[in-house]
Amino acid sequence: MATLKTSRADFESVWPSLVADLQEAAKKYNVPQNALDWFTKSLEANTPGGKLNRGLSVPDTAMQILKRELTPEEHRDLSTLGWLIELLQAFFLVSDDIMDSSVTRRGQPCWYRQPKVGMIAINDAFMLESAIYLILKKHFRSHPAYIDFVELFHQVSWQTELGQQCDLITAPEDDVNLNNFDMHKYTFIVIYKTAYYSFYLPVALALMYMQLATPRNLKQAEDILIPMGEYFQIQDDYLDAYGDPAHIGKIGTDIKDNKCGWLINQALLIASPEQRQVLDANYGQKDDAKEAKVKQLYKELQLEPRYQAYEEKRVGELRRLIANVDESEGLRKEVFESFLAKIYKRNK
């Protein structure tokens, strides 16, 4: 059977009506036109521009479980839930770029670096988050899972913020101390900062919408999707140093930004005392020559083949977990196979 997938165009067709809903929610309070225009510009600049994988995963998950195309109503509802993840992602990215002093995002200057925006971006980020709950209330207030949707978005936001906090205090840009880094902290950061909202959230939303969110199904989803999300972030860290910026849409800055990433943590595990001195002297510095020295050391330590070995081992483990999924309560192996297919060996 051909894989059931939502086209990007079909998914994007739902977005304009959500923008109209949000404009309506602002107009209720007689917002001045210039403020309404600014909010609309922020929504359009920060929400639809990415790969949309998280959002598309909601209707895709439902189709894989139902094994059929969606009805127009199901498509609209599940795509709307998908767009709420994209709004959550927009809220995180606008904030994250400020905290990291990032330069580019999706091939464009970061929102806070765009003309006249600056620190107004902080309030714009809050508004992107509020938009989630405005749309949930408008579209799903009478759905049996309404409160579950609300609580899930609150839970996942909290988990992501915990991960971000640990990341920021473990690796402050202005205080480089590699003794702060270890794989335990790294694993906590990536699971909470990335895996829950990027992998678990889309599947949990689809299950809740279809009223298949049994404790067993949610637990099975979590047990596979969290390690998959960890793999995805490790892959992201690898691509930051080894990927092509033209493919990725941003210039890798993890070394200069003193990021507690997978590569530096692996380097710290295997570096000789002399190599450790090179890392201490050069990591986390806003300096091209020092960044190049760290990258050279990564080569000497053979971190690229080390990553490739990790990838094959993790994907093997994930495939075994997927093969053992119990489908008796409506969950399907295809949901997880489709997630894995999107990320295995990706280059952007």
Side-chain angles (χ1 to χ4, degrees):
M1 188 173 78
T3 309
L4 292 162
K5 267 195 166 149
T6 310
S7 76
R8 186 180 173 112
D10 283 347
F11 183 68
E12 286 177 325
S13 71
V14 174
W15 174 245
S17 67
L18 301 180
V19 173
D21 290 339
L22 293 166
Q23 289 169 329
E24 207 52 49
K27 283 178 193 168
K28 253 174 67 176
Y29 302 108
N30 299 316
V31 165
Q33 189 61 43
N34 65 334
L36 187 63
D37 292 346
W38 184 285
F39 179 41
T40 305
K41 188 179 173 190
S42 165
L43 284 168
E44 296 289 7
N46 294 306
T47 316
K51 295 189 282 285
L52 305 181
N53 283 340
R54 293 167 181 83
L56 283 160
S57 298
V58 184
D60 283 358
T61 295
M63 281 197 284
Q64 283 145 7
I65 288 173
L66 296 168
K67 298 196 170 178
R68 61 166 172 78
E69 297 288 345
L70 302 175
T71 66
E73 184 188 0
E74 287 168 342
H75 167 71
R76 190 198 66 229
D77 285 351
L78 288 153
S79 296
T80 297
L81 290 168
W83 277 112
L84 299 187
I85 304 180
E86 296 298 330
L87 280 164
L88 187 69
Q89 160 91 333
F91 158 55
F92 291 146
L93 296 187
V94 170
S95 311
D96 202 36
D97 286 342
I98 298 169
M99 289 182 253
D100 292 347
S101 306
S102 298
V103 177
T104 55
R105 169 70 63 187
R106 298 169 176 167
Q108 300 290 322
C110 297
W111 177 241
Y112 81 100
R113 293 179 68 97
Q114 292 194 17
K116 299 183 181 172
V117 179
M119 289 304 109
I120 299 168
I122 296 171
N123 195 61
D124 294 334
F126 297 159
M127 293 177 77
L128 291 164
E129 184 191 24
S130 291
I132 295 164
Y133 301 100
L134 291 166
I135 288 173
L136 268 179
K137 186 175 180 182
K138 175 164 174 116
H139 289 272
F140 297 101
R141 198 152 186 267
S142 60
H143 191 283
Y146 174 61
I147 199 64
D148 296 322
F149 292 146
V150 171
E151 288 183 348
L152 181 62
F153 271 102
H154 282 140
Q155 173 200 316
V156 170
S157 299
W158 169 237
Q159 289 169 314
T160 309
E161 288 151 11
L162 283 171
Q164 174 73 342
Q165 181 203 48
C166 189
D167 192 10
L168 291 166
I169 64 173
T170 301
E173 282 192 57
D174 55 355
D175 179 19
V176 180
N177 180 1
L178 298 182
N179 291 326
N180 279 337
F181 291 7
D182 60 54
M183 280 303 293
H184 171 71
K185 280 181 193 161
Y186 173 75
T187 302
F188 177 87
I189 290 164
V190 302
I191 285 175
Y192 288 95
K193 188 177 166 180
T194 301
Y196 274 99
Y197 92 93
S198 300
F199 287 80
Y200 176 71
L201 179 58
V203 174
L205 285 171
L207 288 170
M208 287 172 180
Y209 177 79
M210 294 184 291
Q211 298 181 64
L212 292 172
T214 62
R216 183 182 183 82
N217 279 349
L218 289 172
K219 179 80 171 72
Q220 287 196 111
E222 188 174 14
D223 288 348
I224 295 170
L225 294 165
I226 298 310
M228 197 182 293
E230 185 187 353
Y231 158 50
F232 172 82
Q233 185 58 51
I234 289 171
Q235 196 177 44
D236 219 49
D237 292 355
Y238 166 78
L239 289 170
D240 186 90
Y242 291 97
D244 178 351
H247 276 132
I248 301 164
K250 61 179 178 179
I251 298 157
T253 59
D254 285 4
I255 293 171
K256 287 183 181 175
D257 290 346
N258 189 35
K259 278 289 180 190
C260 180
W262 188 82
L263 293 167
I264 183 64
N265 274 292
Q266 293 298 306
L268 291 169
L269 286 173
I270 58 176
S272 68
E274 296 76 25
Q275 289 169 324
R276 172 61 191 258
Q277 283 179 334
V278 173
L279 290 171
D280 282 330
N282 295 285
Y283 196 79
Q285 314 285 326
K286 308 281 190 202
D287 180 310
D288 290 348
K290 290 186 173 184
E291 180 188 46
K293 282 184 185 168
V294 175
K295 285 192 172 179
Q296 181 53 40
L297 186 59
Y298 285 178
K299 261 200 186 113
E300 287 169 27
L301 293 170
Q302 297 191 303
L303 292 190
E304 192 162 15
R306 193 177 177 90
Y307 165 76
Q308 287 156 352
Y310 158 80
E311 180 172 52
E312 293 312 314
K313 180 170 178 282
R314 173 49 58 95
V315 170
E317 291 162 359
L318 288 167
R319 285 183 172 143
R320 283 191 290 281
L321 286 171
I322 293 166
N324 291 324
V325 166
D326 175 358
E327 297 184 333
S328 64
E329 293 180 14
L331 196 54
R332 299 268 179 270
K333 294 180 173 70
E334 289 88 340
V335 169
F336 307 108
E337 286 162 357
S338 142
F339 267 92
L340 190 55
K342 278 180 196 164
I343 60 172
Y344 180 51
K345 298 282 189 196
R346 74 189 169 104
N347 64 1
K348 61 181 179 180

